[in-house]
Amino acid sequence: MDSPDDRTEFRSCAIAESDVSAACLVEGLTDDGQAVVFADLGNGSIRRSVPAADRAIVVAHRDRFFVVPERSARSRIEVYDREGGLAATLPYGEVYPRSGLVVSREEAGRDTERLVVRSMTTLAEVFRQEPRKVGHTGANPFPGGFAVDTDSGVDYFDSDGNPTTTVRGARLERAAPGGVLSTRLGPAGESILPILTDRDTTGNEKPLFVASPMSGKTLWRWMFDHPVVVFSDGGTVVIKRGGDETEGVFDVSTGAILADHLNDADLLGSDGRRVLVSAPTAGGHQLEAIDGAETLWEYGPYASDPVVIAGKVYADTERLL
């Protein structure tokens, strides 16, 4: 799909599940800043365009597009159909397209808020929490359901809001501020299972663990020195140890160490045994495949940081893998 003219630059695109429509963020289409254009992928024509906030993102779920602005007191999520027609407006929240859920924290009174979870498929509420103190509400969607912090532990629900089990004495462990989960380049990361810790942990040593959303049974549990969850997406979690500031990549389902003692490398993906990372080097960035503590191979350097698009790896405008 070509830009309408030389002044227009496409920032990012989301493609509907039917593969016949796309919604793209563009600069330069109008004099008002960024816009969302809705395109027909069959012939490349633009059906319509609408203004968008400068730091908005666009996400596709099935045959709908969700335009999510930067958070402010008046922020709302606009939902469009595949033709570009406005279908609904939702309260601001975090969008999880893999799980098909939107998680909002809404004011419920003085210094209190409630957690509301909505389906991206039906746009209806599936869960509403009783008001709690600000900062004490939290949810972690995963494919097939979501986990919620409560006063006694972590409650699991299926995608329709039906309770499945409770992990008592636990709380959700979220990624550190400024980590990958808070990037404005896309929606929040979605792990296949939430990362938990003990609610009343004291001292330097801290456990991180994963529990079954159906039975509540612990699947694995590791102790760390001042751990920080840097990133959790799909089947892996990146954890930094506070003691030596090194990062390790762990399998979310089993706790197996896929790569260890990484420094300043960005995780690109994993096949469940090895991991692919982008690491800084004197000439720019290089692509590395790692198995445990062993580097299997490395490509590069490249001027641009390697990225993954639709399962393929690119750098310097070329496909690498």
Side-chain angles (χ1 to χ4, degrees):
M1 184 170 60
D2 297 326
S3 297
D5 56 52
D6 293 337
R7 297 183 301 107
T8 304
E9 180 180 353
F10 284 82
R11 297 293 190 188
S12 63
C13 291
I15 300 175
E17 188 174 77
S18 60
D19 288 335
V20 298
S21 302
C24 301
L25 289 168
V26 299
E27 292 278 359
L29 187 65
T30 69
D31 295 331
D32 298 327
Q34 189 169 258
V36 180
V37 298
F38 299 92
D40 184 325
L41 294 181
N43 55 30
S45 64
I46 293 177
R47 296 185 172 118
R48 63 172 303 211
S49 66
V50 297
D54 287 341
R55 294 177 65 82
I57 61 172
V58 59
V59 172
H61 178 72
R62 298 192 177 179
D63 274 358
R64 286 196 179 110
F65 298 104
F66 293 73
V67 179
V68 186
E70 187 174 29
R71 183 171 189 173
S72 71
R74 297 184 178 180
S75 291
R76 297 291 185 270
I77 297 174
E78 294 179 334
V79 186
Y80 294 87
D81 61 28
R82 67 181 185 179
E83 304 295 324
L86 183 63
T89 301
L90 302 178
Y92 179 84
E94 296 170 329
V95 179
Y96 298 86
R98 186 184 298 150
S99 309
L101 298 171
V102 178
V103 177
S104 301
R105 290 165 181 83
E106 302 176 3
E107 290 186 9
R110 182 179 176 85
D111 296 328
T112 61
E113 60 186 6
R114 67 165 53 89
L115 198 70
V116 179
V117 180
R118 294 176 174 85
S119 166
M120 295 177 70
T121 302
T122 65
L123 306 183
E125 286 186 16
V126 297
F127 176 81
R128 175 175 285 259
Q129 190 178 46
E130 291 298 313
R132 304 186 70 201
K133 289 183 179 180
V134 171
H136 289 259
T137 55
N140 190 161
F142 56 89
F146 56 96
V148 176
D149 268 334
T150 69
D151 292 331
S152 60
V154 174
D155 288 350
Y156 284 88
F157 300 83
D158 65 22
S159 296
D160 295 322
N162 302 309
T164 57
T165 191
T166 296
V167 184
R168 299 197 178 279
R171 67 173 174 79
L172 292 171
E173 184 71 9
R174 300 176 188 83
V180 178
L181 292 183
S182 61
T183 179
R184 293 301 305 168
L185 300 178
E190 297 174 69
S191 176
I192 60 172
L193 289 170
I195 309 300
L196 309 178
T197 190
D198 291 338
R199 183 173 296 274
D200 299 321
T201 298
T202 58
N204 296 342
E205 291 286 307
K206 181 178 181 180
L208 297 180
F209 66 99
V210 162
S212 165
M214 297 306 297
S215 67
K217 179 182 178 181
T218 298
L219 302 180
W220 60 265
R221 184 183 184 94
W222 283 83
M223 293 294 294
F224 296 94
D225 178 13
H226 288 99
V228 176
V229 175
V230 179
F231 174 59
S232 181
D233 188 20
T236 57
V237 57
V238 178
I239 299 170
K240 177 182 287 188
R241 288 87 140 174
D244 56 13
E245 291 296 312
T246 60
E247 295 179 358
V249 182
F250 298 79
D251 183 284
V252 169
S253 298
T254 66
I257 302 174
L258 303 179
D260 207 5
H261 290 83
L262 300 180
N263 290 296
D264 301 321
D266 294 325
L267 176 67
L268 297 178
S270 170
D271 63 3
R273 185 170 64 88
R274 299 158 297 186
V275 299
L276 190 67
V277 302
S278 170
T281 186
H285 307 269
Q286 67 184 20
L287 197 64
E288 299 179 0
I290 300 174
D291 186 348
E294 179 184 0
T295 300
L296 303 178
W297 52 257
E298 56 189 42
Y299 292 159
Y302 304 99
S304 67
D305 200 350
V307 296
V308 178
I309 302 173
K312 301 175 179 62
V313 183
Y314 297 85
D316 295 350
T317 70
E318 295 182 4
R319 179 182 171 186
L320 308 180
L321 295 173

